[in-house]
Amino acid sequence: MTETRGRAASPPARPAVPKGQRVLIVDDEPAMLRALRISLRVRKYDVITASTGRQALAEAGRRTPDAVILDLGLPDVDGIEVIRELRGWSRAPVIVLSGRTGPGDKIAALDAGADDYVTKPFSVEELLARLRAVLRRDDAGPLPARVKVGRWEIDLAAHTALDGAKAVRLTPTQWRLLEILLRHPGQLVGTQRLLTEVWGPGYERYTHYLRFHMAGLRRKLEIDPSRPRHLLTEPGMGYRYQP
């Protein structure tokens, strides 16, 4: 082994974290929550924490995490159910971090929609490597500049909707709603998430805003607004863009 004299060896460089990657950590053990929060913040992740399943779902709806680290043994809702609810409207990768080591628990979590499963006790460096891996896998790239919605060609950069030479005008609010839905083709986007992303925190109960503006979008973009084919309502849950 070569000896370096006169200066200390440089520590290995940490992998770079893209700016703005937000991670939701869900665990009911305060010490575990604190340790993970510190470890991720030191590595420049934007960290949200929750100690119950319901709090986790509320935080995910408000702040749209890029990934979720989830304990299964929560005090109010089992982690498997949290995964199922998240998968109704979110593509964020989920890493389960649990003391449950049985194959049945792992299969149930993965079948519910988890992307990876780490058992406790664990290595922080291994967990971080798995987090980087699922974030790379989930990076689908930017939304195409042009998207077809029925007969309309939607240009998100130019904010135009054209059917040949015919154009339709959308309001700024309608553009924002449409862009969010187009970014999640075929997936349910929850009502609270839409309200928060378009109008901001504090508007979660203003569901009539969504009904009004979605009805306007359908009148402009659907051939038969009373029987929409592309801008769908999931009663009591949210909305979906069906290509």
Side-chain angles (χ1 to χ4, degrees):
M1 181 174 66
T2 302
E3 183 180 358
T4 303
R5 296 184 182 275
R7 62 180 181 181
S10 300
R14 287 176 178 157
V17 177
K19 184 178 179 180
Q21 285 193 325
R22 180 176 295 153
V23 180
L24 170 61
I25 306 172
V26 189
D27 200 302
D28 66 335
E29 297 180 27
M32 177 67 70
L33 209 58
R34 183 170 58 253
L36 289 174
R37 181 174 61 239
I38 292 170
S39 294
L40 267 67
R41 283 182 174 169
V42 163
R43 291 161 176 86
K44 308 304 182 185
Y45 288 97
D46 180 10
V47 180
I48 319 166
T49 60
S51 57
T52 69
R54 290 299 169 203
Q55 183 186 2
L57 292 168
E59 290 288 354
R62 281 194 292 267
R63 301 186 62 187
T64 316
D66 296 298
V68 180
I69 298 174
L70 173 71
D71 183 24
L72 295 183
L74 301 173
D76 57 343
V77 181
D78 188 79
I80 300 293
E81 184 58 32
V82 173
I83 298 170
R84 291 195 184 103
E85 292 200 35
L86 275 174
R87 280 294 167 261
W89 52 268
S90 173
R91 290 178 62 245
V94 177
I95 299 177
V96 170
L97 186 60
S98 177
R100 301 178 189 176
T101 59
D105 295 306
K106 295 180 181 179
I107 291 169
L110 295 171
D111 283 347
D115 297 82
D116 204 343
Y117 196 108
V118 178
T119 56
K120 298 177 180 178
F122 62 96
S123 158
V124 172
E125 292 303 326
E126 179 187 357
L127 175 63
L128 291 167
R130 294 194 185 208
L131 176 60
R132 293 192 296 271
V134 296
L135 285 167
R136 285 195 302 270
R137 191 162 66 235
D138 189 60
D139 185 8
L143 185 68
R146 291 180 175 84
V147 181
K148 292 287 287 186
V149 178
R151 66 189 184 189
W152 298 96
E153 184 175 86
I154 309 298
D155 187 325
L156 292 169
H159 275 197
T160 58
L162 301 174
D163 177 11
K166 181 182 177 183
V168 65
R169 180 183 176 278
L170 304 181
T171 68
T173 299
Q174 289 171 345
W175 275 115
R176 182 65 182 130
L177 280 172
L178 184 61
E179 181 178 351
I180 295 169
L181 292 172
L182 294 182
R183 287 189 181 280
H184 302 84
Q187 297 182 42
L188 174 69
V189 183
T191 298
Q192 287 195 357
R193 179 176 179 182
L194 284 168
L195 287 166
T196 301
E197 289 200 23
V198 176
W199 285 277
Y203 283 83
E204 291 83 0
R205 296 185 180 182
Y206 288 70
T207 54
H208 58 288
Y209 284 16
L210 270 180
R211 291 194 296 270
F212 174 80
H213 288 284
M214 287 300 300
L217 273 175
R218 291 192 183 107
R219 284 194 298 271
K220 294 175 180 180
L221 300 179
E222 293 279 6
I223 295 175
D224 183 355
S226 64
R227 296 181 179 180
R229 295 180 56 191
H230 304 288
L231 304 173
L232 308 180
T233 301
E234 299 290 346
M237 295 186 290
Y239 296 85
R240 188 191 310 269
Y241 160 60
Q242 190 63 46

